[in-house]
Amino acid sequence: MYEAKFLDITDQRAKELDIEWFESFRRCTVLSAFGSYMDSFEVKQLRSFMRSIFEAILKNYKDDADFEISAEEKKRSKLLMQCLVNAGNCSENLRSCADEYSEDCLRRLLKLDWLQSETFAAMINFSKPENGEIYYQLAFECGILWNQVCSDIKRLENNEMVSENGSESQNCDALAKAYDKRSWLLAVFAKYLEFNDNFLTVCGEIIEPSSTDTFIDIIDTVIEFGKNGCNVKLAAGNVRYVLIFLEKALRKFGTFEKDSKMEEYKGMNNFNSIFRIHVLLEMILELVSVKEYQSIFKTDLTTAKLILHIIEGILHYDFIKYQSETCSSKSQEKFSDRPGFKLLPRSAANIGYVYNLAIALSTFGNVKLIETMKLSCLELIGILCHENDMIREYFGANDSISLLLNCMCIRDDHNPTGRLYAISALRHLVLGYSPNQLRLAQLSEEPSAIIERDGLLRELGLCAVYDQETKKIRLKPVPR
């Protein structure tokens, strides 16, 4: 028998939505035994309790028109939603009562700005994928709200939304509310991404392609939120779908097949397309550094293939730029004590995607962002190759050794950090894997003009020898 302080949800006063009864009920929800009390009711009774609250709030709701609602009615609706949310926090049985009807109610309530915080909290408790397409429609509605609130935050921070009569304090209040709303949306999407393994897969099938950037931005923010110390986890299926986002972004530039007919580049929106690839690269770099996610990226070749395509495009961009440049006398003097080098076109330039990406990058203009993308690719190659012979073999068999040597070239407008990243990637690619050591030793172009040979080669288990017949330096494994 439960104590008298627990109120019976089948009581007539509960059915009549008596305000005093619900105020008492809300106070009860903080008690430790309240969850067990709620779970003692039959599912039918719990569902009836939930529906009565939704019906009361939506009684005078109109979908297609603005309607006036009194302050007293708003207060009553907030109280009812708070009672439902608090009870849901405690009772698994109440949460299990959520169905398509409750999802639809939440979707309609989401349009009430003054009730959105309570609605977001209810979504976290009651929205679930078992409820079908309406669940994903609700997620789509939240995506629209995400775009709106992010736009509002940007404008408020730039003081673009202050009216003529608006004060600075009003602007600060509006900004605080916008951030609060974004935090709620972030919590909603964090739940979707953690507990629904197929969330992004299904969203990708039923939600408009124009929403892709919205979901990429949301995932990126959730990852950043987790990086700042919050306990945020992503389901494996959603982590894997980030690679699908990247593949779709790359395919906008063409196919991945060699010797295929080169697509005519139509000059798409370069900034958005390239920036999307940059964001996804940074996301993958963050995710692959998390131990729980590493197997997703390292147990097959999907990630390796995508990264190789990107860096091939960047290298072909380097080649195009190299061809069009004439070194100044100052730079010639600066590098006069270094061995000469030449960049050669790579066979991957025959791939439609690689060629078109290089052309797009050459008109992009943001050299710093391109360099960041290159560094991210090099870092990912090193991470993927670390103690992974399958991926080492893939990169080695696809001419990635000469690719990394090309990345070590230092020119006056290149960030020398890239050289260090390339050396590190080469080390993980070759060290401890003899097939790649042999590939490095058999290169027709000796790499001594590109790298600090002796120190690096010792780490790689190789040495340089002079071939009397060809009059060239060759590399060979150090005898053990």
Side-chain angles (χ1 to χ4, degrees), residues 241-321:
Y241 201 85
V242 174
L243 295 174
I244 297 177
F245 276 138
L246 181 58
E247 182 177 350
K248 289 181 177 180
L250 300 183
R251 287 192 180 277
K252 287 184 177 293
F253 290 95
T255 64
F256 295 163
E257 290 73 30
K258 274 190 176 182
D259 302 321
S260 60
K261 184 178 179 181
M262 195 78 71
E263 301 92 339
E264 182 181 354
Y265 181 65
K266 297 181 180 179
M268 63 187 78
N269 188 333
N270 287 348
F271 180 84
N272 286 343
S273 300
I274 294 171
F275 189 75
R276 185 183 300 123
I277 294 171
H278 160 69
V279 170
L280 289 166
L281 276 175
E282 296 305 306
M283 286 168 57
I284 292 170
L285 200 51
E286 287 291 340
L287 291 169
V288 79
S289 65
V290 179
K291 187 176 181 180
E292 298 94 303
Y293 305 144
Q294 285 181 357
S295 62
I296 296 171
F297 300 101
K298 300 182 74 170
T299 53
D300 63 34
L301 297 174
T302 303
T303 311
K305 289 178 180 179
L306 295 175
I307 299 307
L308 183 59
H309 287 314
I310 296 170
I311 199 164
E312 287 282 15
I314 295 173
L315 273 185
H316 191 56
Y317 152 78
D318 280 340
F319 172 72
I320 293 172
K321 191 174 181 182

Coordinates of all heavy atoms in Angstrom, one line a residue, residues 241-321:
Y241 N 27.3 6.3 -40.5 CA 26.6 7.1 -41.5 C 27.3 8.4 -41.8 O 27.1 9.0 -42.9 CB 25.2 7.4 -41.0 CG 24.3 7.7 -42.2 CD1 23.6 6.7 -42.9 CD2 24.1 9.1 -42.6 CE1 22.8 7.0 -44.0 CE2 23.3 9.4 -43.7 CZ 22.7 8.3 -44.4 OH 21.9 8.6 -45.5
V242 N 28.2 8.8 -40.9 CA 29.0 10.0 -41.2 C 29.9 9.7 -42.5 O 30.1 10.6 -43.3 CB 29.9 10.3 -40.0 CG1 30.9 11.5 -40.4 CG2 29.1 10.8 -38.8
L243 N 30.3 8.5 -42.7 CA 31.0 8.1 -43.9 C 30.1 8.2 -45.1 O 30.6 8.6 -46.2 CB 31.6 6.7 -43.7 CG 32.7 6.5 -42.6 CD1 33.0 5.1 -42.5 CD2 33.9 7.4 -42.9
I244 N 28.9 7.9 -44.9 CA 27.9 8.0 -46.1 C 27.7 9.5 -46.4 O 27.7 9.8 -47.6 CB 26.6 7.3 -45.7 CG1 26.8 5.8 -45.5 CG2 25.6 7.5 -46.8 CD1 25.6 5.0 -45.1
F245 N 27.6 10.3 -45.4 CA 27.6 11.7 -45.7 C 28.8 12.2 -46.5 O 28.7 13.0 -47.4 CB 27.5 12.5 -44.4 CG 26.2 12.7 -43.7 CD1 26.0 12.5 -42.4 CD2 25.1 13.0 -44.5 CE1 24.7 12.6 -41.8 CE2 23.8 13.1 -43.9 CZ 23.6 12.9 -42.6
L246 N 30.0 11.7 -46.1 CA 31.2 12.1 -46.8 C 31.2 11.6 -48.2 O 31.6 12.3 -49.1 CB 32.4 11.6 -46.0 CG 33.8 12.0 -46.6 CD1 33.9 13.5 -46.7 CD2 34.9 11.4 -45.8
E247 N 30.8 10.4 -48.4 CA 30.8 9.8 -49.8 C 29.8 10.6 -50.7 O 30.1 10.9 -51.8 CB 30.4 8.3 -49.7 CG 30.4 7.7 -51.1 CD 30.1 6.2 -51.1 OE1 30.0 5.6 -50.0 OE2 29.8 5.6 -52.2
K248 N 28.7 10.9 -50.1 CA 27.7 11.7 -50.9 C 28.3 13.1 -51.3 O 28.1 13.6 -52.4 CB 26.4 11.9 -50.1 CG 25.6 10.6 -50.0 CD 24.3 10.8 -49.3 CE 23.4 9.5 -49.2 NZ 22.2 9.7 -48.5
A249 N 29.0 13.7 -50.3 CA 29.6 15.0 -50.6 C 30.6 14.9 -51.6 O 30.8 15.8 -52.5 CB 30.2 15.5 -49.3
L250 N 31.4 13.8 -51.6 CA 32.5 13.6 -52.7 C 31.9 13.4 -54.0 O 32.4 13.9 -55.0 CB 33.4 12.5 -52.3 CG 34.1 12.7 -50.9 CD1 35.1 11.5 -50.7 CD2 34.9 14.0 -50.9
R251 N 30.8 12.6 -54.1 CA 30.2 12.2 -55.4 C 29.6 13.4 -56.1 O 29.3 13.3 -57.3 CB 29.2 11.1 -55.2 CG 29.9 9.7 -54.9 CD 28.9 8.6 -55.0 NE 29.6 7.3 -54.7 CZ 30.3 6.6 -55.6 NH1 30.4 7.1 -56.8 NH2 30.8 5.5 -55.3
K252 N 29.4 14.5 -55.4 CA 28.9 15.7 -56.1 C 29.9 16.2 -57.1 O 29.6 16.9 -58.0 CB 28.6 16.8 -55.1 CG 27.4 16.5 -54.3 CD 27.1 17.7 -53.4 CE 25.8 17.5 -52.6 NZ 24.6 17.5 -53.5
F253 N 31.2 15.7 -57.0 CA 32.3 16.2 -57.9 C 32.5 15.1 -59.0 O 33.3 15.4 -59.9 CB 33.6 16.4 -57.1 CG 33.5 17.6 -56.2 CD1 33.2 17.5 -54.9 CD2 33.8 18.9 -56.7 CE1 33.2 18.6 -54.1 CE2 33.7 20.0 -55.9 CZ 33.4 19.9 -54.6
G254 N 31.9 14.0 -58.9 CA 32.1 13.0 -60.0 C 32.2 11.6 -59.4 O 32.0 11.3 -58.2
T255 N 32.5 10.6 -60.3 CA 32.6 9.2 -59.9 C 34.0 8.9 -59.4 O 34.9 9.7 -59.5 CB 32.4 8.3 -61.1 OG1 33.4 8.5 -62.1 CG2 31.0 8.6 -61.8
F256 N 34.1 7.7 -58.7 CA 35.4 7.3 -58.2 C 36.1 6.3 -59.0 O 37.2 5.8 -58.7 CB 35.1 6.6 -56.8 CG 34.6 7.5 -55.8 CD1 34.0 7.0 -54.6 CD2 34.7 8.9 -55.9 CE1 33.5 7.9 -53.6 CE2 34.1 9.8 -54.9 CZ 33.6 9.3 -53.8
E257 N 35.6 6.0 -60.2 CA 36.1 4.9 -61.0 C 37.2 5.5 -61.9 O 37.1 6.5 -62.5 CB 35.1 4.3 -61.9 CG 34.1 3.4 -61.1 CD 33.1 4.2 -60.3 OE1 32.8 5.4 -60.7 OE2 32.6 3.8 -59.2
K258 N 38.3 4.7 -62.0 CA 39.4 5.1 -62.9 C 39.0 4.8 -64.4 O 38.2 3.9 -64.7 CB 40.7 4.3 -62.6 CG 41.5 4.9 -61.5 CD 42.9 4.2 -61.4 CE 43.8 4.9 -60.4 NZ 45.1 4.3 -60.4
D259 N 39.6 5.6 -65.3 CA 39.4 5.4 -66.7 C 38.0 5.6 -67.1 O 37.6 5.2 -68.2 CB 39.9 4.1 -67.2 CG 41.4 3.9 -66.8 OD1 42.2 4.9 -67.0 OD2 41.8 2.8 -66.4
S260 N 37.1 6.1 -66.2 CA 35.7 6.4 -66.6 C 35.7 7.7 -67.4 O 36.6 8.5 -67.3 CB 34.8 6.5 -65.4 OG 35.3 7.5 -64.5
K261 N 34.7 7.9 -68.1 CA 34.6 9.2 -68.9 C 34.5 10.3 -67.9 O 33.8 10.4 -67.0 CB 33.3 9.1 -69.7 CG 33.2 10.4 -70.6 CD 31.9 10.3 -71.5 CE 31.8 11.5 -72.4 NZ 30.6 11.5 -73.2
M262 N 35.4 11.3 -68.2 CA 35.5 12.5 -67.3 C 34.2 13.3 -67.4 O 33.8 13.7 -68.5 CB 36.7 13.3 -67.7 CG 37.1 14.3 -66.6 SD 38.0 13.5 -65.3 CE 39.5 13.2 -66.1
E263 N 33.6 13.5 -66.2 CA 32.4 14.4 -66.2 C 32.8 15.8 -66.5 O 33.8 16.3 -66.1 CB 31.6 14.3 -64.9 CG 31.2 12.9 -64.5 CD 32.3 12.2 -63.7 OE1 33.4 12.6 -63.8 OE2 31.9 11.2 -63.0
E264 N 31.9 16.5 -67.1 CA 32.2 17.9 -67.4 C 31.9 18.7 -66.1 O 30.8 18.6 -65.5 CB 31.3 18.5 -68.5 CG 31.5 19.9 -68.8 CD 30.6 20.4 -69.9 OE1 29.9 19.6 -70.5 OE2 30.6 21.7 -70.1
Y265 N 32.8 19.4 -65.6 CA 32.7 20.1 -64.3 C 31.7 21.3 -64.6 O 32.0 22.1 -65.5 CB 34.0 20.6 -63.8 CG 33.9 21.3 -62.5 CD1 33.4 20.7 -61.3 CD2 34.2 22.7 -62.4 CE1 33.3 21.3 -60.1 CE2 34.1 23.4 -61.2 CZ 33.6 22.7 -60.1 OH 33.5 23.3 -58.9
K266 N 30.7 21.4 -63.8 CA 29.7 22.4 -64.0 C 29.7 23.6 -63.0 O 28.8 24.4 -63.0 CB 28.3 21.8 -64.0 CG 28.1 20.7 -65.0 CD 26.7 20.1 -65.0 CE 26.5 19.1 -66.1 NZ 25.2 18.4 -66.0
G267 N 30.8 23.6 -62.2 CA 31.0 24.8 -61.4 C 29.9 24.9 -60.3 O 29.2 25.9 -60.3
M268 N 29.7 23.9 -59.5 CA 28.7 24.0 -58.4 C 29.1 25.0 -57.4 O 30.1 25.7 -57.5 CB 28.6 22.6 -57.8 CG 29.8 22.1 -57.1 SD 29.7 20.4 -56.6 CE 29.9 19.6 -58.1
N269 N 28.3 25.1 -56.3 CA 28.7 26.0 -55.2 C 29.9 25.5 -54.5 O 29.8 24.6 -53.6 CB 27.5 26.1 -54.3 CG 27.7 27.2 -53.2 OD1 28.8 27.5 -52.9 ND2 26.6 27.8 -52.8
N270 N 31.1 25.9 -54.9 CA 32.3 25.4 -54.4 C 32.4 25.5 -52.9 O 32.9 24.6 -52.2 CB 33.5 26.1 -55.1 CG 33.7 25.6 -56.5 OD1 33.1 24.7 -56.9 ND2 34.5 26.4 -57.2
F271 N 32.1 26.7 -52.4 CA 32.3 26.9 -51.0 C 31.5 25.9 -50.1 O 32.1 25.3 -49.2 CB 31.9 28.4 -50.6 CG 32.2 28.6 -49.1 CD1 33.4 29.0 -48.7 CD2 31.1 28.5 -48.2 CE1 33.6 29.2 -47.3 CE2 31.4 28.7 -46.8 CZ 32.6 29.1 -46.4
N272 N 30.2 25.8 -50.4 CA 29.4 24.9 -49.6 C 29.9 23.4 -49.7 O 30.0 22.7 -48.7 CB 28.0 25.0 -49.9 CG 27.3 26.3 -49.4 OD1 27.9 26.9 -48.6 ND2 26.2 26.6 -50.0
S273 N 30.2 23.0 -50.9 CA 30.6 21.6 -51.2 C 31.9 21.3 -50.5 O 32.1 20.2 -49.9 CB 30.6 21.4 -52.7 OG 29.4 21.6 -53.3
I274 N 32.9 22.2 -50.7 CA 34.2 21.9 -50.1 C 34.2 22.1 -48.6 O 34.8 21.3 -47.9 CB 35.3 22.9 -50.7 CG1 35.4 22.6 -52.2 CG2 36.6 22.8 -50.0 CD1 36.2 23.6 -53.0
F275 N 33.5 23.1 -48.1 CA 33.4 23.2 -46.7 C 32.7 22.0 -46.0 O 33.1 21.6 -44.9 CB 32.7 24.5 -46.3 CG 32.7 24.9 -44.9 CD1 33.9 25.4 -44.3 CD2 31.6 24.7 -44.0 CE1 34.0 25.7 -43.0 CE2 31.7 25.0 -42.7 CZ 32.9 25.5 -42.1
R276 N 31.7 21.5 -46.7 CA 31.1 20.3 -46.1 C 32.1 19.1 -46.0 O 32.1 18.4 -45.0 CB 29.9 19.9 -47.1 CG 29.1 18.7 -46.5 CD 28.0 18.3 -47.5 NE 27.1 19.4 -47.8 CZ 26.9 19.9 -49.0 NH1 27.5 19.3 -50.1 NH2 26.0 20.8 -49.2
I277 N 32.9 18.9 -47.0 CA 33.9 17.9 -46.9 C 34.9 18.2 -45.7 O 35.3 17.3 -45.0 CB 34.7 17.8 -48.2 CG1 33.8 17.3 -49.3 CG2 35.9 16.8 -48.1 CD1 34.4 17.4 -50.7
H278 N 35.3 19.4 -45.6 CA 36.2 19.8 -44.5 C 35.5 19.5 -43.1 O 36.2 18.9 -42.3 CB 36.5 21.3 -44.6 CG 36.9 21.9 -43.3 ND1 38.2 21.7 -42.8 CD2 36.3 22.8 -42.5 CE1 38.3 22.3 -41.6 NE2 37.2 23.0 -41.4
V279 N 34.3 19.8 -43.0 CA 33.6 19.6 -41.7 C 33.5 18.1 -41.4 O 33.8 17.6 -40.3 CB 32.2 20.2 -41.7 CG1 31.4 19.7 -40.5 CG2 32.3 21.7 -41.7
L280 N 33.2 17.3 -42.4 CA 33.1 15.9 -42.2 C 34.4 15.2 -41.9 O 34.5 14.3 -41.1 CB 32.5 15.2 -43.5 CG 31.0 15.5 -43.7 CD1 30.5 15.2 -45.1 CD2 30.1 14.8 -42.6
L281 N 35.5 15.7 -42.5 CA 36.8 15.2 -42.2 C 37.2 15.5 -40.8 O 37.7 14.6 -40.1 CB 37.9 15.9 -43.1 CG 38.1 15.4 -44.5 CD1 39.1 16.3 -45.3 CD2 38.7 14.0 -44.4
E282 N 36.9 16.7 -40.3 CA 37.1 17.0 -38.9 C 36.3 16.1 -37.9 O 36.8 15.7 -36.9 CB 36.9 18.5 -38.6 CG 37.8 19.4 -39.4 CD 39.2 19.2 -39.2 OE1 39.7 19.1 -38.0 OE2 40.0 19.0 -40.2
M283 N 35.1 15.9 -38.3 CA 34.2 15.0 -37.5 C 34.8 13.6 -37.4 O 34.9 13.0 -36.3 CB 32.8 14.9 -38.1 CG 32.0 16.2 -37.9 SD 30.5 16.2 -38.9 CE 29.7 14.7 -38.3
I284 N 35.2 13.1 -38.6 CA 35.8 11.7 -38.6 C 37.1 11.7 -37.8 O 37.3 10.7 -37.0 CB 36.1 11.3 -40.0 CG1 34.7 11.1 -40.8 CG2 36.9 10.0 -40.1 CD1 34.8 10.9 -42.3
L285 N 37.9 12.7 -37.8 CA 39.1 12.8 -37.0 C 38.8 12.7 -35.6 O 39.5 12.1 -34.8 CB 39.9 14.1 -37.4 CG 41.4 14.1 -37.1 CD1 42.1 12.9 -37.7 CD2 41.9 15.4 -37.7
E286 N 37.7 13.4 -35.2 CA 37.3 13.4 -33.7 C 36.8 12.0 -33.3 O 37.2 11.5 -32.3 CB 36.2 14.4 -33.5 CG 36.7 15.9 -33.5 CD 37.6 16.2 -32.3 OE1 37.5 15.5 -31.3 OE2 38.3 17.2 -32.4
L287 N 36.0 11.4 -34.2 CA 35.4 10.1 -33.9 C 36.4 9.0 -33.8 O 36.3 8.1 -33.0 CB 34.3 9.8 -34.9 CG 33.0 10.7 -34.8 CD1 32.1 10.5 -36.0 CD2 32.2 10.5 -33.5
V288 N 37.3 9.0 -34.8 CA 38.3 7.9 -34.8 C 39.3 7.9 -33.7 O 39.9 6.9 -33.4 CB 39.1 7.9 -36.2 CG1 40.2 9.0 -36.2 CG2 39.6 6.5 -36.5
S289 N 39.3 9.1 -33.0 CA 40.2 9.2 -31.8 C 39.6 8.6 -30.6 O 40.2 8.5 -29.5 CB 40.6 10.6 -31.6 OG 39.5 11.4 -31.2
V290 N 38.3 8.3 -30.7 CA 37.5 7.7 -29.5 C 37.6 6.2 -29.7 O 37.3 5.6 -30.7 CB 36.0 8.1 -29.5 CG1 35.3 7.5 -28.4 CG2 36.0 9.7 -29.5
K291 N 38.1 5.5 -28.6 CA 38.4 4.1 -28.7 C 37.2 3.3 -29.1 O 37.3 2.3 -29.9 CB 38.9 3.6 -27.3 CG 39.4 2.2 -27.3 CD 39.9 1.8 -25.9 CE 40.4 0.4 -25.9 NZ 41.0 0.0 -24.6
E292 N 36.0 3.7 -28.6 CA 34.8 2.9 -28.9 C 34.4 2.9 -30.4 O 33.7 2.0 -30.9 CB 33.6 3.4 -28.1 CG 33.8 3.3 -26.6 CD 34.3 4.5 -26.0 OE1 35.4 5.0 -26.4 OE2 33.6 5.1 -25.1
Y293 N 34.8 3.9 -31.1 CA 34.4 4.1 -32.5 C 35.5 3.6 -33.5 O 35.3 3.5 -34.7 CB 34.1 5.5 -32.8 CG 33.1 6.2 -31.9 CD1 33.2 7.5 -31.5 CD2 32.0 5.4 -31.4 CE1 32.2 8.1 -30.7 CE2 31.0 6.0 -30.6 CZ 31.2 7.4 -30.3 OH 30.2 8.0 -29.5
Q294 N 36.7 3.3 -33.0 CA 37.8 3.0 -33.9 C 37.6 1.8 -34.8 O 37.9 1.9 -36.0 CB 39.1 2.8 -33.1 CG 39.7 4.1 -32.6 CD 41.0 3.9 -31.8 OE1 41.4 2.7 -31.6 NE2 41.6 5.0 -31.3
S295 N 36.9 0.8 -34.3 CA 36.7 -0.4 -35.1 C 35.8 -0.1 -36.3 O 35.8 -0.7 -37.4 CB 36.1 -1.5 -34.3 OG 34.8 -1.1 -33.7
I296 N 34.9 0.9 -36.2 CA 34.0 1.3 -37.2 C 34.8 1.8 -38.5 O 34.4 1.5 -39.6 CB 33.0 2.4 -36.8 CG1 32.1 1.8 -35.6 CG2 32.2 2.9 -37.9 CD1 31.3 2.9 -35.0
F297 N 35.9 2.5 -38.2 CA 36.7 3.0 -39.3 C 37.8 2.1 -39.8 O 38.3 2.3 -40.9 CB 37.2 4.4 -38.8 CG 36.2 5.4 -38.4 CD1 35.9 5.6 -37.1 CD2 35.5 6.1 -39.4 CE1 34.9 6.6 -36.7 CE2 34.5 7.0 -39.1 CZ 34.3 7.3 -37.7
K298 N 38.2 1.2 -38.9 CA 39.4 0.4 -39.2 C 39.1 -1.1 -39.6 O 40.1 -1.8 -40.0 CB 40.4 0.5 -38.1 CG 40.8 1.9 -37.7 CD 41.8 2.0 -36.6 CE 43.1 1.5 -37.0 NZ 44.2 1.8 -35.9
T299 N 37.9 -1.5 -39.5 CA 37.6 -2.9 -39.8 C 37.3 -3.2 -41.3 O 37.3 -4.3 -41.7 CB 36.5 -3.5 -39.0 OG1 35.3 -2.6 -39.1 CG2 36.9 -3.6 -37.5
D300 N 37.1 -2.1 -42.1 CA 37.0 -2.3 -43.5 C 37.7 -1.1 -44.2 O 38.3 -0.3 -43.5 CB 35.5 -2.4 -44.0 CG 34.7 -1.2 -43.7 OD1 35.3 0.0 -43.7 OD2 33.5 -1.3 -43.4
L301 N 37.6 -1.1 -45.5 CA 38.4 -0.1 -46.3 C 37.6 1.2 -46.6 O 38.2 2.0 -47.3 CB 38.9 -0.7 -47.5 CG 39.9 -1.9 -47.3 CD1 40.2 -2.6 -48.7 CD2 41.2 -1.5 -46.6
T302 N 36.4 1.3 -46.2 CA 35.6 2.4 -46.6 C 36.2 3.8 -46.3 O 36.3 4.6 -47.2 CB 34.2 2.4 -45.9 OG1 33.6 1.1 -46.2 CG2 33.3 3.5 -46.3
T303 N 36.6 3.9 -45.1 CA 37.2 5.2 -44.7 C 38.5 5.5 -45.5 O 38.8 6.6 -46.0 CB 37.6 5.2 -43.2 OG1 36.4 4.8 -42.4 CG2 37.9 6.6 -42.7
A304 N 39.4 4.4 -45.6 CA 40.6 4.6 -46.3 C 40.4 5.0 -47.7 O 41.1 5.9 -48.2 CB 41.4 3.3 -46.2
K305 N 39.4 4.4 -48.4 CA 39.1 4.8 -49.8 C 38.7 6.2 -49.9 O 39.2 7.0 -50.8 CB 38.1 3.9 -50.3 CG 38.5 2.4 -50.6 CD 37.4 1.6 -51.1 CE 37.8 0.1 -51.3 NZ 36.7 -0.8 -51.7
L306 N 37.8 6.7 -49.0 CA 37.4 8.1 -49.1 C 38.5 9.1 -48.9 O 38.6 10.1 -49.6 CB 36.2 8.3 -48.1 CG 34.9 7.5 -48.4 CD1 33.9 7.7 -47.2 CD2 34.3 7.8 -49.7
I307 N 39.3 8.8 -47.9 CA 40.4 9.7 -47.5 C 41.4 9.7 -48.7 O 41.9 10.8 -49.0 CB 41.1 9.2 -46.2 CG1 40.2 9.2 -45.1 CG2 42.3 10.1 -45.9 CD1 39.4 10.5 -44.8
L308 N 41.7 8.6 -49.3 CA 42.6 8.6 -50.4 C 42.1 9.4 -51.6 O 42.8 10.1 -52.2 CB 42.9 7.1 -50.9 CG 43.9 6.9 -52.0 CD1 45.2 7.5 -51.6 CD2 44.0 5.5 -52.4
H309 N 40.8 9.3 -51.9 CA 40.2 10.1 -52.9 C 40.4 11.6 -52.7 O 40.7 12.4 -53.6 CB 38.7 9.8 -53.1 CG 38.4 8.5 -53.7 ND1 39.1 8.0 -54.8 CD2 37.6 7.5 -53.3 CE1 38.6 6.8 -55.2 NE2 37.7 6.5 -54.3
I310 N 40.2 12.0 -51.4 CA 40.2 13.4 -51.1 C 41.7 13.9 -51.2 O 41.9 15.0 -51.9 CB 39.8 13.7 -49.6 CG1 38.3 13.3 -49.5 CG2 40.0 15.1 -49.2 CD1 37.8 13.3 -48.1
I311 N 42.6 13.2 -50.7 CA 44.0 13.7 -50.8 C 44.6 13.6 -52.2 O 45.4 14.5 -52.6 CB 44.9 13.0 -49.7 CG1 46.2 13.8 -49.5 CG2 45.2 11.5 -50.2 CD1 47.0 13.4 -48.3
E312 N 44.1 12.7 -53.0 CA 44.5 12.7 -54.4 C 44.0 14.0 -55.1 O 44.7 14.6 -55.9 CB 43.9 11.5 -55.1 CG 44.6 10.1 -54.8 CD 46.0 10.0 -55.5 OE1 46.5 11.0 -56.0 OE2 46.5 8.8 -55.5
G313 N 42.7 14.4 -54.7 CA 42.2 15.6 -55.3 C 43.0 16.8 -54.9 O 43.3 17.7 -55.7
I314 N 43.4 16.8 -53.6 CA 44.2 17.9 -53.1 C 45.6 18.0 -53.8 O 46.1 19.0 -54.1 CB 44.4 17.9 -51.6 CG1 43.0 18.1 -50.9 CG2 45.3 18.9 -51.1 CD1 43.0 17.8 -49.4
L315 N 46.2 16.8 -54.0 CA 47.5 16.7 -54.6 C 47.4 17.2 -56.1 O 48.3 17.8 -56.6 CB 48.1 15.3 -54.5 CG 48.9 15.0 -53.3 CD1 49.5 13.6 -53.4 CD2 50.0 16.0 -53.0
H316 N 46.3 16.8 -56.8 CA 46.2 17.3 -58.1 C 46.0 18.8 -58.2 O 46.5 19.5 -59.1 CB 45.0 16.6 -58.8 CG 45.0 16.8 -60.3 ND1 46.1 16.5 -61.1 CD2 44.1 17.3 -61.2 CE1 45.8 16.8 -62.4 NE2 44.6 17.3 -62.4
Y317 N 45.3 19.3 -57.2 CA 45.2 20.8 -57.0 C 46.6 21.4 -56.9 O 46.9 22.4 -57.5 CB 44.3 21.1 -55.9 CG 44.6 22.4 -55.2 CD1 44.2 23.6 -55.7 CD2 45.3 22.5 -54.0 CE1 44.5 24.8 -55.1 CE2 45.6 23.7 -53.3 CZ 45.2 24.8 -53.9 OH 45.5 26.0 -53.3
D318 N 47.4 20.7 -56.0 CA 48.8 21.2 -55.9 C 49.6 21.2 -57.2 O 50.3 22.1 -57.5 CB 49.6 20.3 -54.9 CG 49.2 20.7 -53.4 OD1 48.8 21.8 -53.2 OD2 49.5 19.8 -52.5
F319 N 49.3 20.1 -58.0 CA 50.0 20.0 -59.3 C 49.6 21.2 -60.2 O 50.4 21.8 -60.9 CB 49.7 18.7 -59.9 CG 50.2 18.5 -61.3 CD1 51.6 18.4 -61.6 CD2 49.3 18.5 -62.4 CE1 52.1 18.3 -62.9 CE2 49.8 18.4 -63.7 CZ 51.1 18.3 -63.9
I320 N 48.3 21.4 -60.2 CA 47.8 22.5 -61.1 C 48.4 23.8 -60.7 O 48.8 24.6 -61.5 CB 46.2 22.5 -61.0 CG1 45.6 21.3 -61.7 CG2 45.7 23.8 -61.7 CD1 44.1 21.2 -61.5
K321 N 48.4 24.0 -59.4 CA 49.0 25.3 -58.9 C 50.5 25.4 -59.2 O 51.0 26.4 -59.5 CB 48.7 25.3 -57.3 CG 49.0 26.7 -56.7 CD 48.6 26.7 -55.2 CE 48.9 28.0 -54.6 NZ 48.5 28.0 -53.2

